[in-house]
Amino acid sequence: PSLPTLCNHLSPPSHPSLSPSPPLPPESKPMSAFHFLRALSQINKSTPKSSLLLRSRRIRQAAYVSMACRAGRSRLWSRALLRRLQRRSRLRYLISQRTRAGIAPKRLKVVRPRSGEPSRAEALRRLVPGGPGMDYCSLLDETAHYIQCLSSQVQLMQKVVGSISCETPQP
Amino acid sequence: MSSRRSRSRQSSSSRITDEQINDLVSKLQALLPEAGIRSNERVSAARVLQDTCSYIRNLHREVDDLSERLSELLATTDASSAQAAIIRSLLM
């Protein structure tokens, strides 16, 4: 009811869902960018020009939401990420604006070192959403997919930045 | 090095072999940015994980930076040209 519009993006997109196999199937670029771009224009309209920090935080949120939506619910990391973002956006309405929850969700889950794994697996668990709940094999698999999605999200954002900066005459 | 060989508890439902793990690790290695340079070298799993961690941190930082840049850009451009640019990147 009173959830911000960003939560509308949490419903799965209408384009064909991605298969869980690691190489990302060639989805149409316009569709994959659509969620993010729509969120961008909504943020552009609704946020006042003065609050740069709020807008960049919302943009960052939209980036992760649209990335997780594109991955669909078949991936552990995307489900965990969507859950986390849902929680945070709900909290933002309940708690006053003055409590600046940091940009990266810093709730430190206790990641116990598991036996029979390289020591770095712990650090990786902290970085990948849903990491603490995964076994080592799933962690490696999910990480691979997460990296692919992250880097394509970065490319998309770079493209958007590029085309907007071409619009505006730079001083 | 990892103590994989002395692992005594294997998951009972699926036999996770070392070979499977090696496959996954090499798949990860292929995704890293330096994959082209070191493709034939057998890098240790710990090294791959370390590089993966720093790569993910870099990507997170890039998302933050790009969000800030986008925020600044949207503040300075007027609505119509921003919309036009956004639509243009949609079509590209």
Side-chain angles (χ1 to χ4, degrees):
Chain A
S2 59
L3 292 174
T5 50
L6 283 176
C7 281
N8 289 337
H9 299 140
L10 295 178
S11 58
S14 54
H15 65 79
S17 60
L18 299 177
S19 64
S21 66
L24 293 179
E27 49 180 32
S28 58
K29 268 296 194 169
M31 270 318 288
S32 67
F34 178 67
H35 276 248
F36 182 59
L37 297 177
R38 185 176 63 178
L40 264 191
S41 51
Q42 278 175 338
I43 294 172
N44 196 23
K45 274 183 245 169
S46 61
T47 321
K49 299 277 184 185
S50 50
S51 53
L52 222 64
L53 183 60
L54 176 64
R55 188 178 347 187
S56 85
R57 208 176 283 159
R58 283 198 183 157
I59 292 178
R60 187 185 166 277
Q61 188 101 338
Y64 281 111
V65 168
S66 68
M67 185 174 96
C69 281
R70 276 206 301 282
R73 306 198 67 83
S74 62
R75 280 279 155 183
L76 287 172
W77 69 260
S78 57
R79 290 206 293 269
L81 186 56
L82 285 176
R83 248 178 319 190
R84 182 201 290 175
L85 292 171
Q86 248 177 322
R87 247 180 313 184
R88 290 185 68 225
S89 58
R90 231 174 263 145
L91 276 179
R92 189 164 285 146
Y93 260 31
L94 297 176
I95 305 179
S96 74
Q97 285 286 351
R98 294 202 303 152
T99 60
R100 304 250 176 225
I103 293 197
K106 287 274 187 244
R107 187 183 315 148
L108 291 176
K109 279 207 177 92
V110 177
V111 180
R112 275 182 213 89
R114 303 200 189 182
S115 59
E117 281 177 4
S119 56
R120 287 289 170 181
E122 216 177 303
L124 191 59
R125 279 219 166 78
R126 270 190 277 266
L127 287 171
V128 175
M134 298 178 197
D135 60 277
Y136 188 52
C137 256
S138 313
L139 180 67
L140 294 177
D141 189 38
E142 294 282 319
T143 303
H145 195 256
Y146 184 57
I147 286 183
Q148 284 176 310
C149 290
L150 253 187
S151 69
S152 60
Q153 178 69 30
V154 165
Q155 281 172 20
L156 169 64
M157 291 173 82
Q158 282 168 341
K159 204 185 287 186
V160 175
V161 167
S163 62
I164 296 188
S165 357
C166 285
E167 259 320 293
T168 58
Q170 295 293 330
Chain B
M1 283 295 275
S2 64
S3 56
R4 284 201 309 262
R5 292 199 187 83
S6 59
R7 183 205 339 242
S8 51
R9 60 184 111 168
Q10 297 232 340
S11 143
S12 52
S13 53
S14 60
R15 311 258 299 160
I16 304 173
T17 61
D18 277 354
E19 207 177 300
Q20 248 176 305
I21 303 239
N22 284 337
D23 270 350
L24 289 170
V25 170
S26 54
K27 198 180 65 181
L28 259 187
Q29 188 187 347
L31 287 173
L32 297 178
E34 308 104 31
I37 305 172
R38 302 204 219 130
S39 52
N40 294 326
E41 217 179 280
R42 177 112 175 87
V43 186
S44 73
R47 186 57 206 260
V48 172
L49 288 187
Q50 188 178 347
D51 290 347
T52 305
C53 284
S54 36
Y55 187 44
I56 294 183
R57 281 190 209 107
N58 280 342
L59 288 175
H60 284 167
R61 197 169 39 225
E62 276 209 57
V63 172
D64 290 348
D65 289 346
L66 285 169
S67 301
E68 277 185 38
R69 278 199 69 189
L70 266 179
S71 167
E72 290 165 14
L73 281 175
L74 288 178
T76 54
T77 63
D78 61 89
S80 57
S81 58
Q83 304 280 15
I86 286 175
I87 293 177
R88 191 173 306 123
S89 52
L90 183 74
L91 294 174
M92 273 195 305

